């Protein structure tokens, strides 16, 4: 039996070394040994069993980088939307799931989870932008039974994770928001729709909490 392949998408806008290291470390905990690859090859992406889309930087730049790789968005869409394989977006990789992002202009996203990425506007003016550092992640009831925040046996991940962002995802349907954090008001920390999940925080930088979430993602069967 061939090892499962987890493809971390390289489009010039991600923490690829950190993400790869964290996924390899989490994969070592499993009974099976998935193959973790960093790639921009549409054929590898099309055939992968799980997909990870990292993202660091401005929404428009990340969007441009992703769409600039010939065939990559089509391969992602076929794998995640048509085959319904597990997908995880991280930081701007999560934000790209939205309909559009408003950062230095308006940029169309993938549109897989309807919503808009807008500037953070904390109610407390003393809170700095970007939101940077450790903050609590509170999961809701949907996450307790489904998705990477659950291990499938009733144990739910709730704790502290590492955030770095100036914009946040406002989902059209609140049911798609499965976790929030508080930064001068509620801020989307994670989204979920079927096999499509995303985290605003960086699991690869969130120590044991992040490794646990990645492990859950590697075991997740939507």
């Amino acid at each position: 039996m061939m090892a499962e392949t987890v493809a971390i998408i390289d489009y010039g806008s991600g923490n690829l070394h950190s993400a790869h290291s964290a996924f390899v470390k989490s994969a070592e905990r499993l009974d099976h040994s998935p193959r973790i690859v960093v790639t921009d090859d549409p054929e590898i992406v099309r055939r992968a069993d799980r997909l990870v889309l990292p993202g660091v930087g401005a929404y428009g730049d990340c969007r441009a980088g992703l769409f600039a790789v010939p065939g990559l968005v089509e391969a992602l869409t076929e794998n995640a939307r048509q085959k319904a394989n597990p997908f995880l977006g991280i930081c701007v990789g999560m934000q790209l799931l939205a309909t559009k992002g408003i950062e230095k202009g308006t940029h169309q996203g993938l549109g897989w989870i309807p919503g808009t990425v807008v500037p953070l506007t904390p109610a407390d003016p003393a809170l700095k932008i970007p939101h940077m550092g450790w903050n609590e992640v509170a999961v809701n009831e949907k996450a307790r039974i489904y998705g990477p925040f659950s291990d499938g046996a009733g144990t739910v991940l709730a704790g502290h994770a590492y955030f770095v962002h100036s914009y946040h995802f406002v989902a059209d349907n609140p049911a798609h928001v499965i976790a929030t954090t508080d930064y001068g008001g509620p801020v989307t920390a994670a989204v979920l729709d079927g096999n499509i999940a995303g985290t605003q925080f960086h699991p690869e930088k969130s120590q044991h909490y992040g490794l646990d979430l990645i492990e859950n993602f590697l075991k997740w069967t939507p």
Side-chain angles (χ1 to χ4, degrees):
M1 183 177 177
M2 291 184 63
E4 182 178 87
T5 298
V6 180
I8 300 174
I9 311 304
D10 178 7
Y11 60 106
S13 299
N15 260 337
L16 298 177
H17 177 72
S18 296
H20 180 264
S21 295
F23 273 81
V24 168
K25 189 173 293 185
S26 292
E28 290 172 350
R29 303 177 176 186
L30 305 178
D31 293 334
H32 65 293
S33 299
R35 186 170 67 105
I36 313 297
V37 299
V38 175
T39 184
D40 64 354
D41 185 332
E43 284 308 310
I44 295 175
V45 171
R46 187 173 280 109
R47 296 193 304 266
D49 300 287
R50 298 176 190 270
L51 299 172
V52 181
L53 184 68
V56 175
Y59 185 100
D61 292 342
C62 289
R63 193 264 184 205
L66 181 63
F67 279 76
V69 182
L72 186 55
V73 170
E74 291 79 5
L76 277 171
T77 302
E78 178 183 327
N79 192 315
R81 301 289 280 175
Q82 296 172 23
K83 296 180 181 177
N85 281 325
F87 175 97
L88 178 65
I90 297 173
C91 197
V92 183
M94 179 199 84
Q95 294 179 358
L96 288 172
L97 298 173
T99 310
K100 62 184 177 182
I102 302 173
E103 182 176 4
K104 298 178 181 177
T106 299
H107 310 277
Q108 296 302 307
L110 293 167
W112 296 357
I113 297 182
T116 306
V117 177
V118 301
L120 273 173
T121 54
D124 181 354
L127 292 174
K128 295 181 179 180
I129 302 296
H131 169 208
M132 182 182 299
W134 293 84
N135 214 347
E136 185 175 2
V137 176
V139 298
N140 65 23
E141 288 302 314
K142 185 177 181 181
R144 293 183 180 280
I145 58 172
Y146 188 68
F149 282 90
S150 171
D151 67 355
T155 302
V156 177
L157 283 176
H160 288 77
Y162 189 80
F163 291 80
V164 184
H165 63 120
S166 300
Y167 288 73
H168 69 121
F169 192 132
V170 178
D172 290 352
N173 183 352
H176 288 148
V177 178
I178 60 163
T180 58
T181 192
D182 186 353
Y183 198 69
V187 174
T188 299
V191 294
L192 177 70
D193 184 22
N195 63 301
I196 308 295
T199 63
Q200 181 60 67
F201 59 87
H202 288 271
E204 76 278 10
K205 295 184 177 180
S206 297
Q207 299 180 4
H208 294 297
Y209 180 81
L211 293 178
D212 287 345
L213 184 137
I214 293 169
E215 181 181 349
N216 283 351
F217 171 73
L218 294 175
K219 296 187 294 186
W220 181 32
T221 53

